[in-house]
Amino acid sequence: MAITKQRKADIIEKLKGIFAKSPIVAFVRFNRLTVANANALRRKLREAGGGYYVAKKTLIRKSLEGGQTV
């Protein structure tokens, strides 16, 4: 199911907020990550006060460039 333009704009705004308040951001290639490893990663990140958010590369790129065009 396709994501609406409004939903994409909301995701971009959320990503901008994450990037603005986070001292560090890590990009993970999760396609080879097993479910058990993904859950362990999320657990460790939560324990350290971090978070885990999955987004499309194009939306991440637009949020970093400051572009709102969807």
Side-chain angles (χ1 to χ4, degrees):
M1 183 152 110
I3 300 174
T4 64
K5 286 186 178 189
Q6 181 58 46
R7 180 68 181 130
K8 288 179 184 179
D10 293 343
I11 292 170
I12 289 171
E13 286 304 313
K14 180 172 183 163
L15 289 170
K16 284 181 181 180
I18 290 170
F19 294 140
K21 70 178 182 179
S22 299
I24 187 169
V25 177
F27 295 95
V28 179
R29 190 173 184 181
F30 66 91
N31 63 338
R32 294 187 180 171
L33 199 60
T34 65
V35 173
N37 288 340
N39 288 336
L41 175 62
R42 288 178 187 199
R43 191 176 313 110
K44 294 244 185 215
L45 287 170
R46 267 195 310 270
E47 290 171 1
Y52 184 94
Y53 189 77
V54 178
K56 294 178 69 95
K57 289 186 286 186
T58 53
L59 297 179
I60 292 170
R61 189 175 300 116
K62 286 178 189 260
S63 68
L64 290 171
E65 291 172 349
Q68 185 63 28
T69 307
V70 179

